[in-house]
C-alpha cells in the first residue's frame, strides 16, 4: 500500500476553515452553535460528502462521516477531533485532527485500500468549555460519562440551556440516544497539535501519547459589599475583587507548591460587578481550571484551594461559593493503538517521543469506551489557544500519514 498525503490540499483546507471565524485572521473564534460554527460544520460536512463518506449528526451535534468497510456491521475504527475554537484561538487546535483525519481517509481511498472494519471520522461537538463551562460535552455524552439529563440543563452565560441552544441550532434529536452502544468502536485515534514545546525543543517528529492528564474545573462566586470608592473607608470594606485577588494567588501557590511541575492551575475568567472605576466591586465570578497527571495530587491541590478560600472568606468577611463543573480521572492510551502508531513511525524512520497529554481531549472520554490513542505533532514554541499557534504543513502531513497507516492497521484490509 503506497500512501500519499496531499499536503497542499490539507493546508488549503486548514486555511479555508480558519476563514470561517468571528474575528480577523490569524485569530480564530468559533463558539459552538453560533452562526459561524454552524457554517463551519456545513463546510466540513460538504468536504466529507465529497470524499464519498456517509454523514450523520446526533442530537448534540457530533458529526460522524463513515467510510463503510467490507464488514459494515463490525465495530468501526474511529478518528477525529473538534472544530470549535475558544475566543482568539489559532487555526490548528482540533482542526488538524479533523482535516488530517479526512485527508488520511482520502489517502487510503486513493491507494486502493479497502477497509474491513468501517473507518469513521468523528467531529466532536463542543469540545471547548467556552459556552457551557464544561469541555468535551459531545464525547462525555457519547461515552455516557455525563447523563443526557445533566447535559441538557447546563447553561451558557446568557442563561440559555444546552437543550434550548442545540434545538435553536437545529439539533432536535433525543439526547439520551447520543450515547454510543457498547463496542461501537474497535479503536480510536486522535491526531492533535502538542500544545506544548517538548517535541519542537527535542526536534522530534511525533508524539505518541501514553496518558491524558486529569482535568477539573469550578465556577467560583464571591460576594462582598459594594459602595462609593471615595466614601467607604478601608477598614469598612468587603471588596470582592480583593478577596478574588488573594484567592487567585492561593490557586497559583497550590499548583506551584505541589512538589511537581505536573500540577497546573489557572483562573481564566474574572468578571467584576459592577465594573465601574469609582465603585467598590461587590461581586466577582471566576473560574478555576486545575489539572494533574496524578488524580490524588490534583484532588489534594483542590482541597488546599478550598481551605484557602474558607480562610479568605472569614478574614475578609465575604462569601465564597464554588460549584464543581467537572473533576475527571486521567486516561491511559491503549497499548494496541500506541503500538500501531509506533510501528508506522519506525517504518518511516520518523522519530517519536512517548509523552503525556497535559491538555484534555475528547479522547479522554472515548478511552472509557474503546481502545484509544493520540498522536501529537509539534507546534511552534508550543503555542496554542492563541492566534500565533502554528504547525508546519510537512509536520501535519507526517502526522496524517502515520494516522492513515494506523487506521488501516486497526481496520484490516479486505484484500
Ligand atoms: C482543551 O482545549 C484543553 O483546555 O485542554
Ligand atoms: Mn483547545
Ligand atoms: Mn483541542
Amino acid at each position: 500500500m503506497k500512501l500519499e498525503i496531499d499536503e497542499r490540499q490539507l493546508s488549503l483546507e486548514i486555511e479555508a476553515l480558519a476563514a470561517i471565524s468571528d474575528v480577523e485572521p490569524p485569530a480564530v473564534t468559533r463558539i459552538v452553535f453560533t452562526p459561524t460554527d454552524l457554517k463551519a460544520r456545513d463546510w466540513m460536512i460538504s468536504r466529507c460528502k465529497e470524499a464519498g463518506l456517509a454523514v450523520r449528526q446526533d442530537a448534540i451535534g457530533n458529526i460522524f462521516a463513515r467510510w463503510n468497510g467490507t464488514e459494515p456491521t463490525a465495530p468501526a475504527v474511529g478518528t477525529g477531533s473538534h472544530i470549535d475554537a475558544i475566543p482568539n484561538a489559532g487555526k490548528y487546535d482540533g482542526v488538524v485532527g479533523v482535516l488530517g483525519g479526512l485527508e488520511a481517509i482520502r489517502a487510503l481511498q486513493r491507494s486502493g485500500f479497502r477497509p474491513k472494519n468501517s473507518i469513521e471520522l468523528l467531529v466532536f461537538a463542543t469540545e471547548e468549555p467556552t459556552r457551557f463551562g464544561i469541555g468535551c460535552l459531545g464525547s462525555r455524552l457519547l461515552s455516557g460519562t455525563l447523563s443526557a439529563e445533566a447535559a441538557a440543563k447546563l447553561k451558557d452565560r446568557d442563561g440559555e440551556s444546552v437543550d434550548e441552544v442545540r434545538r435553536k441550532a437545529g439539533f432536535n434529536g433525543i439526547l439520551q440516544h447520543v450515547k454510543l452502544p457498547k463496542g461501537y468502536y474497535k479503536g480510536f485515534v486522535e491526531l492533535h497539535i502538542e500544545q506544548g514545546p517538548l517535541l519542537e525543543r527535542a526536534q522530534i517528529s511525533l508524539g505518541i501519547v501514553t496518558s491524558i492528564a486529569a482535568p477539573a474545573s469550578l465556577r467560583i462566586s464571591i460576594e462582598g459589599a459594594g459602595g462609593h470608592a471615595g466614601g467607604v473607608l478601608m477598614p469598612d470594606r468587603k471588596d470582592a475583587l480583593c478577596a478574588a485577588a488573594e484567592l487567585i494567588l492561593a490557586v497559583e501557590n497550590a499548583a506551584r507548591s505541589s512538589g511537581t511541575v505536573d500540577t497546573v492551575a489557572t483562573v481564566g475568567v474574572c468578571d467584576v460587578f459592577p465594573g465601574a472605576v469609582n465603585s467598590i466591586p461587590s461581586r466577582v465570578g471566576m473560574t478555576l481550571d486545575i489539572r494533574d497527571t496524578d488524580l490524588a495530587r490534583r484532588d489534594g491541590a483542590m482541597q488546599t484551594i478550598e481551605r484557602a478560600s474558607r480562610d479568605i472568606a472569614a478574614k475578609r468577611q465575604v462569601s465564597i461559593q464554588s460549584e464543581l463543573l467537572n473533576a475527571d480521572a486521567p486516561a491511559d492510551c491503549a497499548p494496541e493503538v500506541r503500538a500501531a502508531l509506533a510501528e508506522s513511525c519506525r517504518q518511516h524512520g520518523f522519530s517519536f517521543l512517548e509523552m503525556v497529554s497535559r491538555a484534555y481531549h475528547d479522547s479522554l472520554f472515548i478511552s472509557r469506551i474503546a481502545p484509544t490513542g493520540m498522536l501529537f505533532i509539534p507546534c511552534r514554541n508550543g503555542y496554542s489557544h492563541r492566534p500565533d499557534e502554528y504547525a508546519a504543513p510537512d509536520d501535519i502531513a507526517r502526522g496524517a500519514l502515520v494516522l492513515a497507516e494506523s487506521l488501516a492497521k486497526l481496520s484490516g484490509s479486505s484484500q
Side-chain angles (χ1 to χ4, degrees):
M1 180 175 59
K2 174 112 179 71
L3 282 182
E4 274 175 29
I5 298 297
D6 190 338
E7 185 179 310
R8 191 172 163 275
Q9 170 75 6
L10 186 48
S11 295
L12 288 173
E13 286 177 341
I14 290 170
E15 293 303 319
L17 187 48
I20 309 176
S21 161
D22 281 330
V23 287
E24 287 299 306
V28 177
T29 298
R30 227 172 9 242
I31 311 297
V32 68
F33 298 141
T34 56
T36 302
D37 177 59
L38 296 177
K39 191 168 162 198
R41 300 164 63 88
D42 285 347
W43 180 89
M44 195 58 228
I45 288 170
S46 302
R47 300 288 79 71
C48 292
K49 288 187 175 162
E50 273 168 19
L53 307 180
V55 177
R56 74 176 173 95
Q57 296 186 77
D58 68 14
I60 193 66
N62 292 310
I63 304 169
F64 302 79
R66 185 176 274 238
W67 180 19
N68 274 316
T70 50
E71 291 184 15
T73 55
V77 173
T79 187
S81 195
H82 61 101
I83 59 170
D84 62 331
I86 66 163
N88 210 36
K91 297 175 192 169
Y92 302 90
D93 174 9
V95 165
V96 156
V98 170
L99 290 173
L102 177 60
E103 177 54 21
I105 291 176
R106 290 185 304 218
L108 286 167
Q109 291 172 334
R110 288 191 296 267
S111 76
F113 174 81
R114 290 179 61 222
K116 189 149 78 72
N117 296 70
S118 301
I119 297 182
E120 187 168 82
L121 179 70
L122 178 38
V123 185
F124 293 100
T126 185
E127 192 267 353
E128 298 290 6
T130 312
R131 183 144 192 185
F132 299 111
I134 183 170
C136 301
L137 202 49
S139 52
R140 284 177 194 273
L141 285 167
L142 290 170
S143 59
T145 314
L146 181 71
S147 73
E149 293 71 23
K153 283 192 232 140
L154 292 168
K155 292 207 163 90
D156 67 9
R157 276 192 188 183
D158 298 329
E160 278 203 294
S161 70
V162 164
D163 209 41
E164 288 163 333
V165 174
R166 64 147 190 143
R167 285 181 191 282
K168 274 192 199 160
F171 298 95
N172 290 303
I174 299 169
L175 271 184
Q176 279 79 0
H177 293 176
V178 171
K179 186 169 178 228
L180 292 174
K182 208 168 173 325
Y184 182 90
Y185 282 124
K186 182 181 179 208
F188 192 90
V189 197
E190 181 170 0
L191 174 68
H192 206 282
I193 55 169
E194 180 198 344
Q195 304 183 291
L198 301 185
L199 292 173
E200 185 187 59
R201 267 188 207 157
Q203 296 190 304
I204 291 177
S205 299
L206 293 163
I208 297 180
V209 174
T210 51
S211 64
I212 305 174
S217 61
L218 291 94
R219 218 177 253 143
I220 300 174
S221 318
I222 305 180
E223 185 112 26
H228 196 287
V232 183
L233 298 181
M234 299 315 277
D236 298 330
R237 294 198 180 199
K238 294 176 184 171
D239 185 323
L241 185 56
C242 290
E246 273 201 55
L247 184 53
I248 292 167
L249 291 179
V251 165
E252 185 189 38
N253 195 41
R256 279 186 187 270
S257 60
S258 78
T260 155
V261 293
D262 289 332
T263 321
V264 288
T266 308
V267 174
V269 171
C270 188
D271 290 327
V272 181
F273 183 84
V277 63
N278 53 355
S279 177
I280 300 163
S282 59
R283 274 204 315 268
V284 169
M286 57 190 229
T287 55
L288 168 64
D289 174 307
I290 179 161
R291 312 173 188 214
D292 203 311
T293 47
D294 182 273
L295 186 60
R297 198 169 48 216
R298 185 208 62 198
D299 289 346
M302 285 170 77
Q303 282 158 15
T304 304
I305 293 168
E306 183 56 41
R307 278 195 298 279
S309 149
R310 280 200 297 273
D311 293 348
I312 294 164
K315 188 177 79 180
R316 291 188 167 270
Q317 293 184 283
V318 298
S319 120
I320 305 182
Q321 307 290 337
S322 56
E323 179 196 355
L324 184 68
L325 297 171
N326 67 292
D328 302 295
D332 287 328
C333 290
E336 61 267 44
V337 180
R338 285 170 55 182
L341 293 166
E343 190 184 320
S344 171
C345 288
R346 283 193 198 99
Q347 270 166 8
H348 290 280
F350 297 155
S351 55
F352 65 89
L353 182 68
E354 302 212 296
M355 62 194 302
V356 169
S357 170
R358 294 171 190 282
Y360 59 70
H361 302 280
D362 292 298
S363 287
L364 180 66
F365 298 100
I366 296 303
S367 73
R368 319 276 199 235
I369 55 164
T372 298
M374 289 195 74
L375 182 64
F376 278 173
I377 56 169
C379 57
R380 191 166 61 199
N381 299 324
Y383 290 166
S384 185
H385 283 185
R386 44 189 278 181
D388 51 359
E389 178 178 273
Y390 177 77
D394 56 337
D395 284 332
I396 299 174
R398 200 174 289 117
L401 177 64
V402 170
L403 174 66
E405 284 180 354
S406 305
L407 294 175
K409 205 163 296 153
L410 292 167
S411 156
S413 169
S414 67
Q415 289 164 342

